[in-house]
Amino acid sequence: MEKWENELKKISTEQKDIEDVWERINGEMDRDLRKERRRLMMQRSWIGAVATMVLVLGTLIYFSINNQSPEITSEVPSTSDSDSTTTTGDDQLTRGEPGFVEQELTKIDARFPETKEVPLQIEGTEEMIAMSRVVPGNFAYVLYADEELYEISFDSRFDSNTTDESSASIVARNSLGTDYPEVKLQIDTIPGKKPTELASEKAALLEEKYSGATIDSELVTEPVVGYKLHAREGDSPSSEVTTIYVLDQQHDESTIVVTQTVFLEAQEGHGARFFSMLKTLQVLD
Amino acid sequence: MDRSQFQQLYTDFAPDLYRMALAITGRRELAKDALQETFLRVYRFSSTYDSNQPVKPWLYRILINECRRLQKKEARSFPSNGLEIEQSTPSREPFSDVMDAVSKLPETYRVPLLLKYLDGWKEYEIADLLSVNVNTLKSRLAKARELMRESYGEGV
């Protein structure tokens, strides 16, 4: 074996370089994934627009063939609509009856897809995030949550057939340990109390929890319509920050209260994500 | 190819490919870029790959092309008098002479020589990878050895 051949075989590389490159590749793959999600979203919007145009054109053609104006014919379905509403109204199962849960789920399935692309605005840019549908057992509301970053759970004491009370938690999966407060969004459905009453109660609780801190309260329309209460423990990066939303719209006679807990440093990141999720919240009738 | 399969492929092949890229380009950052671009291409175009074919020649073909592309790109940005061997890593210094000798070889001789003597490829495999006749390859290897002997010295 020649001298150069021997030396050539001794060439070695550093594992750290290989790990560095893997990190870079991972970053690129994540960027690819986000681009793909955006592309799919655009594609869906485009398909939706085309479908709407086809529907409008179809309707126009239908009316022109039948030589009837849409105004006249629209009265017919409205009559049949009210008839069918009455019929289905009679068929509606009430809480506690067998088949009630299945009936409610079917209605929700028809209106809300199981996953949805939700816009997330973070650090001045907007990206689309795939989020999963969250429905509590009392069918009080629907919202979409990022299951990749947050764990979703429901309070086990709840029984959908007997009570309206429910609690859902959306907790960050990557906890930073005991030095930082838990990053969490809790959604409670509280029966028998008005939003105003609950807003006062929650403000008092916040005052008690963060003694000496200023409690900001205001009426908001985003991410939800209702009362917003806001207070923070202190000014350090790990200080707990609590925001409570008491929703204006009730479900039956229950009020929905959202309690968001983050720490000061995480307000931008987790705060923005919770804001996006809450914007999808819809109270069900 | 899902992400875990891809990571396994990286674990299996990245060390050898990186060593090859380092020997071809003679520069650590360029070699890292070539390795990154190779695997990104593999990930993005894995659907076009015929799974009945062996994966190793495919990976090396992409890597060699990437090394060429990056070297040309860099030559356009920073014209220089040839390749420079980075000395920043102390563990690589004993090999800088042999790397220097390799870097002076024309690419036609450098790549076959590295595939054979650095990675242990068979001659017919190299000929297939580089799409050349085996006899052509043999003569290129003979010339490469001769040039190495001239610039690096003979004997063990």
Side-chain angles (χ1 to χ4, degrees):
Chain A
M1 193 181 283
E2 298 196 47
K3 192 178 165 189
W4 59 265
E5 207 181 320
N6 242 336
E7 293 297 306
L8 205 57
K9 288 197 190 300
K10 288 182 196 164
I11 293 176
S12 63
T13 53
E14 292 197 8
Q15 185 57 28
K16 188 187 164 298
D17 286 351
I18 292 163
E19 284 162 11
D20 276 356
V21 175
W22 176 248
E23 286 303 311
R24 279 153 51 175
I25 291 170
N26 246 330
E28 285 292 324
M29 289 196 295
D30 288 339
R31 262 191 288 280
D32 278 6
L33 204 66
R34 282 199 290 272
K35 269 189 207 161
E36 180 61 15
R37 279 178 183 167
R38 250 178 252 138
R39 194 188 63 76
L40 280 173
M41 191 64 195
M42 290 289 286
Q43 200 178 30
R44 279 179 205 156
S45 314
W46 196 81
I47 291 169
V50 170
T52 312
M53 274 180 67
V54 168
L55 198 68
V56 169
L57 279 173
T59 313
L60 286 172
I61 291 165
Y62 173 79
F63 287 124
S64 64
I65 288 170
N66 288 290
N67 202 20
Q68 284 176 315
S69 74
E71 287 76 14
I72 296 164
T73 48
S74 67
E75 286 175 11
V76 180
S78 83
T79 317
S80 68
D81 267 1
S82 67
D83 286 343
S84 71
T85 313
T86 316
T87 316
T88 47
D90 289 341
D91 293 344
Q92 289 290 305
L93 298 166
T94 53
R95 195 179 297 283
E97 281 188 285
F100 168 75
V101 172
E102 290 74 14
Q103 169 193 275
E104 295 303 298
L105 279 176
T106 310
K107 282 199 272 185
I108 286 168
D109 278 342
R111 286 179 62 196
F112 304 96
E114 282 191 18
T115 58
K116 189 164 100 167
E117 297 276 332
V118 174
L120 166 68
Q121 284 191 327
I122 198 163
E123 290 163 358
T125 58
E126 184 175 285
E127 58 179 291
M128 303 303 291
I129 305 286
M131 294 200 190
S132 310
R133 187 180 69 191
V134 176
V135 187
N138 61 356
F139 305 109
Y141 58 87
V142 169
L143 103 154
Y144 285 84
D146 182 351
E147 255 191 313
E148 205 175 301
L149 296 180
Y150 302 91
E151 193 176 332
I152 301 157
S153 61
F154 296 97
D155 193 331
S156 57
R157 71 193 152 86
F158 170 70
D159 175 357
S160 66
N161 285 322
T162 58
T163 174
D164 257 350
E165 196 173 339
S166 143
S167 178
S169 300
I170 299 168
V171 182
R173 290 186 189 273
N174 58 339
S175 159
L176 288 180
T178 50
D179 292 340
Y180 286 82
E182 189 177 42
V183 173
K184 181 180 178 182
L185 196 67
Q186 185 171 320
I187 307 167
D188 298 301
T189 313
I190 300 161
K193 284 191 178 175
K194 299 263 180 239
T196 44
E197 193 184 345
L198 272 166
S200 307
E201 275 183 25
K202 293 290 173 185
L205 279 174
L206 275 184
E207 269 173 8
E208 196 183 322
K209 189 176 180 187
Y210 305 120
S211 63
T214 313
I215 312 293
D216 298 318
S217 63
E218 57 180 325
L219 281 168
V220 292
T221 52
E222 276 198 317
V224 291
V225 178
Y227 298 93
K228 178 186 173 186
L229 306 164
H230 181 84
R232 71 184 196 207
E233 188 185 24
D235 294 322
S236 77
S238 63
S239 293
E240 189 176 81
V241 182
T242 301
T243 309
I244 297 175
Y245 298 99
V246 180
L247 269 67
D248 189 48
Q249 189 183 351
Q250 287 188 291
H251 166 75
D252 289 342
E253 287 182 352
S254 298
T255 299
I256 296 163
V257 179
V258 179
T259 308
Q260 173 186 308
T261 319
V262 294
F263 50 91
L264 201 55
E265 210 177 20
Q267 267 206 117
E268 288 248 328
H270 286 295
R273 285 172 199 281
F274 285 150
F275 193 89
S276 288
M277 292 183 212
L278 287 174
K279 274 183 88 170
T280 68
L281 194 152
Q282 280 191 46
V283 179
L284 300 174
D285 295 330
Chain B
M1 187 184 300
D2 65 27
R3 222 147 152 162
S4 64
Q5 287 172 319
F6 180 67
Q7 188 167 7
Q8 189 57 51
L9 188 77
Y10 186 83
T11 310
D12 292 345
F13 288 98
D16 284 350
L17 286 167
Y18 178 51
R19 198 162 63 125
M20 178 57 68
L22 196 59
I24 293 173
T25 62
R27 296 193 50 182
R28 193 172 164 192
E29 279 312 311
L30 220 50
K32 283 168 78 173
D33 286 348
L35 183 69
Q36 177 185 335
E37 286 306 311
T38 299
F39 275 92
L40 280 174
R41 274 171 188 274
V42 167
Y43 186 71
R44 286 168 185 160
F45 301 106
S46 59
S47 58
T48 62
Y49 173 67
D50 177 4
S51 56
N52 295 320
Q53 299 296 318
V55 72
K56 191 175 160 185
W58 184 52
L59 290 172
Y60 274 77
R61 197 172 292 126
I62 300 173
L63 181 86
I64 292 164
N65 286 337
E66 274 307 311
C67 288
R68 271 186 205 140
R69 190 182 65 81
L70 290 169
Q71 280 177 307
K72 274 185 194 162
K73 189 179 161 193
E74 201 180 57
R76 278 199 299 272
S77 316
F78 307 103
S80 69
N81 299 323
L83 297 164
E84 291 166 19
I85 306 296
E86 287 176 0
Q87 302 282 335
S88 57
T89 316
S91 63
R92 282 186 48 221
E93 279 197 25
F95 312 123
S96 61
D97 287 346
V98 73
M99 293 279 279
D100 197 30
V102 168
S103 75
K104 287 191 177 97
L105 293 177
E107 199 201 286
T108 327
Y109 303 131
R110 194 192 317 150
V111 173
L113 181 110
L114 291 172
L115 286 169
K116 183 172 168 70
Y117 295 103
L118 185 70
D119 264 12
W121 284 54
K122 302 270 186 292
E123 288 181 1
Y124 70 89
E125 290 173 329
I126 303 171
D128 193 38
L129 179 78
L130 302 176
S131 306
V132 294
N133 181 289
V134 178
N135 289 329
T136 308
L137 177 82
K138 281 180 191 288
S139 68
R140 283 184 189 176
L141 282 170
K143 183 70 182 169
R145 282 193 295 267
E146 188 189 320
L147 290 170
M148 281 301 284
R149 231 173 280 136
E150 277 172 19
S151 64
Y152 198 76
E154 290 183 57
V156 180

